[in-house]
Amino acid sequence: GLHKLHADLLLEKNLRYAAAKAYAEAADLFMQAGRILPAVSSKISQWQIIPSSDEENQHFLARIKNGGIPSSPIKEFFSRLTDEELMAVFSKLEQTHYPAGATIKAPNEEEKELFLVVFGTLRESTSEPHQEPDTSGKEPIVLLKGEDCFGDIYPFADSKISRSYIEAMSPVELIKLPKDSLRRLCRRHKNIEMGLVDLCKVRAESGAEELSNMIRECGRYENLIEVSLE
């Protein structure tokens, strides 16, 4: 984490080559620690300054898939993709930062992005930001931390509206994938769409589904998946 912070400071001072080296070292250390999203975020920051060689990229992608990283929904999503598909996804990732207390989403906003949590803690609840939660135990609260995801963007044909507040409880770094970018990726790479279905399923089973159900009555839909039969 300190290497990544140092790299951010170097970049602010326009010391780009030194920043790229620090981002590369941070990515390597995060990967060794089994922290996949901070490693990916650091590597993307490095690539934005100095592109890596094909050999370096292949080594990094191989570590994501086979590097002994603990199992997680994000790890499973990345591991099922080919190198080409992974690089296509990484090219569309957008890094964002929010201070503590910031509202990332509020009710009645259209769901337009899938967010991946790199650092920090967020709270999803029905309470307005900066308002004390209901202590009676009736109000559901979901805490989102590193490698969690949020954003109800699938199926793409549906226009969905946020039903809860998501507030940063600490300074947070998020990676977001815009819905339109994901839609175009999935048209070219069906494997990405299959992984996205599983990722959204984990989100629904994590407690966010219970929160959503307590806010509104909602129907269920079936995910249509293309198959071939012999």
Side-chain angles (χ1 to χ4, degrees):
L2 289 175
H3 278 283
K4 191 171 186 301
L5 284 172
H6 184 223
D8 292 339
L9 291 172
L10 290 170
L11 190 59
E12 285 181 14
K13 295 178 181 295
N14 204 33
L15 300 171
R16 296 173 61 81
Y17 181 74
K21 287 186 64 177
Y23 281 128
E25 188 164 0
D28 182 61
L29 291 171
F30 280 130
M31 194 67 77
Q32 289 180 36
R35 301 182 63 188
I36 193 168
L37 279 182
V40 167
S41 178
S42 300
K43 202 67 177 176
I44 288 172
S45 295
Q46 177 201 340
W47 288 337
Q48 289 172 345
I49 302 170
I50 302 175
S52 300
S53 66
D54 290 342
E55 184 178 353
E56 288 176 300
N57 290 344
Q58 288 170 3
H59 177 65
F60 180 71
L61 299 180
R63 292 180 72 185
I64 289 178
K65 298 177 184 180
N66 309 310
I69 296 173
S71 180
S72 70
I74 296 296
K75 156 76 170 170
E76 295 304 314
F77 175 53
F78 287 160
S79 294
R80 73 182 299 158
L81 305 182
T82 65
D83 287 359
E84 179 187 359
E85 290 164 344
L86 265 177
M87 292 302 291
V89 170
F90 290 165
S91 71
K92 301 300 181 183
L93 296 179
E94 300 178 11
Q95 297 158 300
T96 58
H97 298 80
Y98 295 91
T103 300
I104 286 80
K105 284 204 304 183
N108 301 318
E109 293 181 354
E110 185 178 354
E111 300 271 11
K112 293 184 177 180
E113 296 99 4
L114 175 67
F115 289 91
L116 311 178
V117 183
V118 181
F119 292 111
T121 303
L122 304 101
R123 182 184 79 166
E124 181 174 11
S125 73
T126 55
S127 293
E128 292 186 21
H130 316 302
Q131 180 181 358
E132 287 299 318
D134 183 1
T135 56
S136 67
K138 294 180 180 178
E139 183 198 21
I141 294 175
V142 176
L143 290 180
L144 302 167
K145 298 183 179 181
E147 300 209 11
D148 285 334
C149 64
F150 61 93
D152 194 3
I153 49 88
Y154 191 85
F156 299 125
D158 296 351
S159 180
K160 300 191 177 182
I161 302 300
S162 173
R163 303 292 179 177
S164 60
Y165 291 97
I166 295 185
E167 175 190 8
M169 305 299 289
S170 67
V172 296
E173 179 181 341
L174 305 175
I175 290 174
K176 67 179 181 180
L177 271 162
K179 181 177 179 178
D180 288 342
S181 296
L182 269 174
R183 190 202 313 265
R184 288 192 289 271
L185 282 176
C186 290
R187 283 176 185 161
R188 297 198 300 269
H189 306 283
K190 284 295 180 183
N191 204 28
I192 294 177
E193 185 166 7
M194 298 290 288
L196 187 62
V197 169
D198 287 343
L199 196 59
C200 291
K201 187 187 301 180
V202 170
R203 157 72 175 165
E205 294 170 352
S206 68
E209 181 78 2
E210 179 184 355
L211 172 63
S212 181
N213 287 342
M214 293 185 72
I215 298 170
R216 78 195 196 284
E217 296 280 328
C218 67
R220 288 287 186 266
Y221 56 81
E222 295 182 2
N223 291 322
L224 302 182
I225 299 173
E226 289 187 2
V227 299
S228 57
L229 300 176
E230 286 186 69

